[in-house]
Amino acid sequence: MFYKSILALVLLGVFSSANALELDIEDNKKPNYLLGFFVVEAIMGVNAWMASESPNGYGTISALAFPLAGKSEETSDFVYWTGLAAIESVAIYNINLDSDEYSKSEIFRNNMKAWHAAAGVILAISYIDSKWINNDTISVTPKSGGVEVGF
């Protein structure tokens, strides 16, 4: 089952790149948001299923694979690195998960919650970046116990 999870993760990474999900705006004047919603939910569901099958293996493979996704030209560095931190936190959660302590359905549910939380962080940061942040004026300063973000 572990090898099926790895194969599914590799296939998901190959077929879910930003270019593969891009809609041809010239043919459709309006993007199909409902289709996009279902595609994203399916990707989250497949990731949660793979994590429920082998949490430690999924976490390890995904921790190494997520940074390989790359950054599109439209995405600012702030959004990219914040989003990467959000999805890497899901991978780290799975690496540290004791699969004997939770059932597969609990692991699936927790991963779906984690993926939705990561998506919420990415959407919120994208909105804040597009409305209020001039990319030349952001600073991140390390402090003891965390960081200070200045705009």
Side-chain angles (χ1 to χ4, degrees), residues 12 15-16 21 38-48 50 115:
L12 184 65
F15 293 113
S16 68
L21 296 176
F38 285 122
V39 167
V40 170
E41 285 295 319
I43 291 171
M44 287 183 190
V46 168
N47 276 287
M50 287 188 294
W115 277 111

Side-chain angles (χ1 to χ4, degrees), residues 76-90:
S76 70
D77 287 340
F78 178 63
V79 172
Y80 173 74
W81 289 109
T82 306
L84 184 61
I87 62 174
E88 283 292 326
S89 65
V90 178

Side-chain angles (χ1 to χ4, degrees), residues 139-143 146-150:
S139 67
V140 179
T141 308
K143 298 284 183 180
V147 295
E148 180 180 276
V149 179

Side-chain angles (χ1 to χ4, degrees), residues 77-79 82 129 133-140 149-151:
D77 287 340
F78 178 63
V79 172
T82 306
D129 183 59
I133 297 176
N134 178 353
N135 289 331
D136 298 332
T137 62
I138 189 167
S139 67
V140 179
V149 179
F151 302 108

Side-chain angles (χ1 to χ4, degrees), residues 20-42:
L21 296 176
E22 219 171 84
L23 297 173
D24 188 8
I25 302 299
E26 292 179 13
D27 290 341
N28 286 331
K29 297 298 180 198
K30 294 181 184 178
N32 189 343
Y33 294 111
L34 185 61
L35 177 63
F37 171 78
F38 285 122
V39 167
V40 170
E41 285 295 319

Side-chain angles (χ1 to χ4, degrees), residues 44 86 89-90 93-94 108-120:
M44 287 183 190
S89 65
V90 178
Y93 164 75
N94 284 297
F108 178 84
R109 264 195 316 271
N110 290 341
N111 269 275
M112 284 298 283
K113 291 175 191 175
W115 277 111
H116 282 89

